[in-house]
Amino acid sequence: AAGHPGAEQKSGARGLSAALAGMRPSLWPWLPGLQRDPMAGSGALGGGAGGGQSAGTGQGATLRGPRAPLLLVVLALGAYCLCALPGRCPPAARAPAPSAAPTEQSRSGRRPGAPDLPVASGSGHRRFPQALIVGVKKGGTRALLEFLRLHPDIRALGSEPHFFDRCYERGLAWYRSLMPRTLDGQITMEKTPSYFVTQEAPCRIHGMSPDTKLIVVVRNPVTRAISDYAQMLSKTPGLPSFRALAFRHGLGPVDTAWSAVRIGLYAQHLDNWLRYFPLSHFLFVSGERLVSDPAGEVGRVQDFLGLKRVVTDKHFYFNATKGFPCLKKAQGSSRPRCLGKSKGRPHPRVPWALVQRLQDFYRPFNRKFYQITGQDFGWD
Ligand SMILES: Nc1ncnc2c1ncn2[C@@H]1O[C@H](COP(=O)(O)OS(=O)(=O)O)[C@@H](OP(=O)(O)O)[C@H]1O
């Protein structure tokens, strides 16, 4: 059911993606010793195209030999599997044309003269998103999207398409076919939190449209990591303890190879995005304020999108049972609605000493993030 939090597509087949993803380490000038790693284990998959290239590296001699067709079939199958495994990519609204290089016009998503895909039924056109919620996982991305959907000038995809991380081979025509129809002046949006930590995502999104507006919901990286772990635990009850995963050998240094830790290195991920987009294309939303003052944060997002502030405090109430703000009326309904059980899960208890160690670990990254964004998120 599109639009329901339960409809979100979550990670899968990570091993294959990880195996295919290329390694791109690069040193951080301001934090010597830390490397930028691919996010293969974090739900941030290095897209199949890159994977295909990695898998093919060094195979030049073989490709010219008699096994070349077999190898090509294997590579094509691998790339196909990355996007075709059940539950990984949402079905297209209708069969799209095979992937083709987009024209300048089709990239823009704003239909400057050239026709969009023909309208089969309903009104409006399916367009590329002009704005994306690109992260972060467990930041509050679902809440933000559901709040924004109340705005009449926003049409958003309910599920996470994972196009720029997992399904890129399906092509831009396929991606656009997933989008809801919009009338002129309406904004198309989608959210996939793993984009923020996907090495290839900024370049790919820039290729779709360099005008794309990018929204990042950030939350204290320590709480975020614990929230991430709570989600993992709900899916895999026998998981090792938080301590065992977050610290090497349970006692040693913080393990940045663990996705729940690595996702919180916001400054490091942002650095990759800033190679493709100027800072003015970003809006950073505080996950904490989204809970304490949802109308205020959604107000900032509406301003950023150039929309009238239609969603205001009159749309929210605080649900004491849930412990979160909820909507007085959900989109397309006259009834109140809170997010589902997967949002606002109880967190496992993590000893205070470990929390402190993680806070200390993240402090320089947080400071760098505040410095780049010009916003103090108050995590330290
Ligand atoms: N209004 C409202 N209702 C419920 N939950 C809310 C709300 N606003 C923000 N949050 C916080 O959103 C956290 C989940 O973040 P995401 O939606 O980004 O998670 S996901 O990456 O899509 O799985 C979720 O994290 P946990 O509390 O750890 O479950 C919530 O804290």
Side-chain angles (χ1 to χ4, degrees):
H4 190 277
E8 289 169 52
Q9 306 255 336
K10 296 297 175 192
S11 60
R14 290 178 176 170
L16 180 57
S17 292
L20 293 176
M23 302 290 280
R24 284 185 195 77
S26 74
L27 288 173
W28 270 61
W30 53 273
L31 262 186
L34 266 175
Q35 292 196 326
R36 187 204 314 268
D37 294 325
M39 305 302 296
S42 65
L45 308 179
Q53 283 157 11
S54 301
T57 306
Q59 296 296 326
T62 318
L63 279 171
R64 284 190 293 275
R67 277 176 291 167
L70 183 64
L71 188 66
L72 284 174
V73 168
V74 169
L75 283 174
L77 257 173
Y80 172 78
C81 285
L82 278 173
C83 275
L85 291 175
R88 290 184 51 78
C89 300
R94 61 199 162 72
S99 171
T103 62
E104 279 312 309
Q105 289 90 342
S106 70
R107 273 190 181 127
S108 77
R110 274 181 282 110
R111 213 164 41 94
D116 266 335
L117 294 175
V119 178
S121 64
S123 54
H125 295 81
R126 298 187 198 280
R127 301 168 216 248
F128 292 124
Q130 296 99 323
L132 294 171
I133 299 176
V134 295
V136 300
K137 187 182 178 195
K138 307 318 290 178
T141 56
R142 174 55 57 186
L144 179 62
L145 193 75
E146 293 306 308
F147 298 164
L148 289 173
R149 294 176 103 186
L150 294 177
H151 200 294
D153 292 338
I154 294 178
R155 296 294 317 281
L157 189 61
S159 57
E160 294 176 8
H162 282 277
F163 176 65
F164 295 106
D165 56 346
R166 299 180 196 158
C167 305
Y168 196 62
E169 302 74 15
R170 295 208 169 185
L172 281 159
W174 174 82
Y175 181 52
R176 186 167 53 180
S177 78
L178 302 175
M179 296 301 148
R181 294 176 189 280
T182 50
L183 303 171
D184 286 343
Q186 285 184 316
I187 294 177
T188 305
M189 289 187 72
E190 64 113 328
K191 79 114 178 166
T192 304
S194 46
Y195 291 163
F196 191 61
V197 296
T198 298
Q199 186 79 25
E200 297 85 353
C203 177
R204 291 172 175 179
I205 293 170
H206 189 270
M208 173 187 74
S209 168
D211 298 329
T212 310
K213 294 187 177 186
L214 304 160
I215 299 168
V216 194
V217 189
V218 287
R219 179 181 185 186
N220 183 328
V222 181
T223 333
R224 198 220 67 80
I226 298 171
S227 170
D228 208 343
Y229 176 72
Q231 175 165 298
M232 294 174 192
L233 210 53
S234 74
K235 293 177 179 172
T236 315
L239 210 61
S241 69
F242 182 85
R243 176 202 290 268
L245 294 167
F247 301 91
R248 273 184 243 156
H249 315 296
L251 293 165
V254 173
D255 192 350
T256 53
W258 187 36
S259 66
V261 166
R262 202 164 56 224
I263 290 171
L265 304 173
Y266 303 145
Q268 191 169 329
H269 303 301
L270 181 57
D271 197 47
N272 181 39
W273 286 83
L274 292 175
R275 291 164 58 207
Y276 298 92
F277 290 95
L279 199 60
S280 58
H281 280 233
F282 291 85
L283 182 75
F284 301 94
V285 172
S286 157
E288 287 82 10
R289 281 201 299 271
L290 197 58
V291 176
S292 63
D293 177 20
E297 283 308 276
V298 173
R300 291 180 61 235
V301 180
Q302 291 169 99
D303 294 347
F304 175 68
L305 296 175
L307 299 175
K308 206 171 150 218
R309 285 196 176 203
V310 171
V311 185
T312 62
D313 49 7
K314 71 175 193 298
H315 288 92
F316 301 98
Y317 75 100
F318 185 79
N319 184 307
T321 314
K322 178 86 182 164
F324 283 95
C326 296
L327 295 174
K328 286 184 188 162
K329 284 182 193 172
Q331 188 218 21
S333 148
S334 57
R335 302 178 57 169
R337 175 156 161 236
C338 296
L339 296 189
K341 273 191 280 197
S342 67
K343 310 296 170 183
R345 280 192 189 97
H347 289 181
R349 214 189 69 79
V350 174
W352 183 241
L354 300 188
V355 171
Q356 288 286 66
R357 278 194 63 196
L358 279 174
Q359 292 276 25
D360 292 345
F361 165 77
Y362 279 118
R363 191 162 298 112
F365 293 95
N366 291 345
R367 295 228 168 113
K368 185 70 189 171
F369 187 63
Y370 300 167
Q371 190 188 320
I372 300 173
T373 60
Q375 271 176 263
D376 183 338
F377 291 89
W379 301 320
D380 301 297

